[in-house]
Amino acid sequence: MRVTFTVNGAPVTVDDVWPGESLLYILRERMGLPGSKNACEQGECGSCTVFLDGSTACSCLVAAGQVEGRSVRTVEGLAKGAQLDPMQQAFVEAGAVQCGFCTPGLIVQASDLIDRNPEPSDVEIREALAGNLCRCTGYEKILDAVRLAAQRKAAR
């Protein structure tokens, strides 16, 4: 099967897609976009979170055929060239990047949160990130990063 969609603003056509192939597989293996991580393949960890038509989705649960004509934005698509997105920058500055495996999914999910709610409470941050698992931290630096990005967005 052939699938045509947009990734990070660029039109893409992928040929010879097999019926069970996931969006995650296409992004990582066929397109060379390693940001979305392959961890659980069951939608439980959030490491593969991407924007699909503007809403977050676990790319491991999206069949490749389901993205026909749609728009996907990955963690790589948040940056503008070499300039990091404010959420990406906040994760770096707050020391929220540990092993880095969960970081892309957390950044995508946190970006979605502050786009919808520019001044989230700690409870709202925790709730928004509840589907993203991190094995390295107690989440405090992650919360610091989201707070920092939200403060900067509110100041603009």
Side-chain angles (χ1 to χ4, degrees):
M1 142 177 51
R2 171 178 278 176
V3 181
T4 301
F5 59 109
T6 302
V7 177
N8 298 330
V12 174
T13 298
V14 181
D15 290 318
D16 301 321
V17 174
W18 48 275
E21 198 166 343
S22 69
L23 172 58
L24 175 61
Y25 185 86
I26 285 181
L27 293 172
R28 289 183 58 80
E29 306 302 327
R30 291 180 177 244
M31 299 185 68
L33 295 170
S36 303
K37 303 301 184 205
N38 186 357
C40 73
E41 294 186 2
Q42 296 178 9
E44 295 292 328
C45 71
S47 293
C48 66
T49 303
V50 297
F51 286 103
L52 180 59
D53 291 335
S55 297
T56 58
C58 290
S59 60
C60 71
L61 297 179
V62 178
Q66 291 178 292
V67 299
E68 178 66 36
R70 296 176 80 181
S71 176
V72 175
R73 193 162 132 198
T74 67
V75 70
E76 291 95 342
L78 295 178
K80 290 174 180 55
Q83 181 182 359
L84 294 178
D85 173 82
M87 186 63 71
Q88 292 169 319
Q89 187 64 43
F91 264 68
V92 171
E93 290 176 22
V97 179
Q98 301 247 333
C99 82
F101 207 81
C102 66
T103 305
L106 282 162
I107 288 172
V108 169
Q109 195 66 47
S111 294
D112 179 61
L113 169 65
I114 66 165
D115 284 347
R116 290 181 294 106
N117 179 1
E119 297 182 30
S121 67
D122 282 0
V123 170
E124 290 167 324
I125 295 170
R126 288 178 186 277
E127 187 173 296
L129 300 182
N132 295 76
L133 302 178
C134 176
R135 294 181 177 146
C136 296
T137 73
Y139 293 90
E140 210 46 53
K141 290 182 186 262
I142 294 166
L143 295 172
D144 291 344
V146 177
R147 287 184 207 111
L148 178 60
Q151 288 168 356
R152 288 181 177 166
K153 184 173 184 171
R156 282 187 275 150

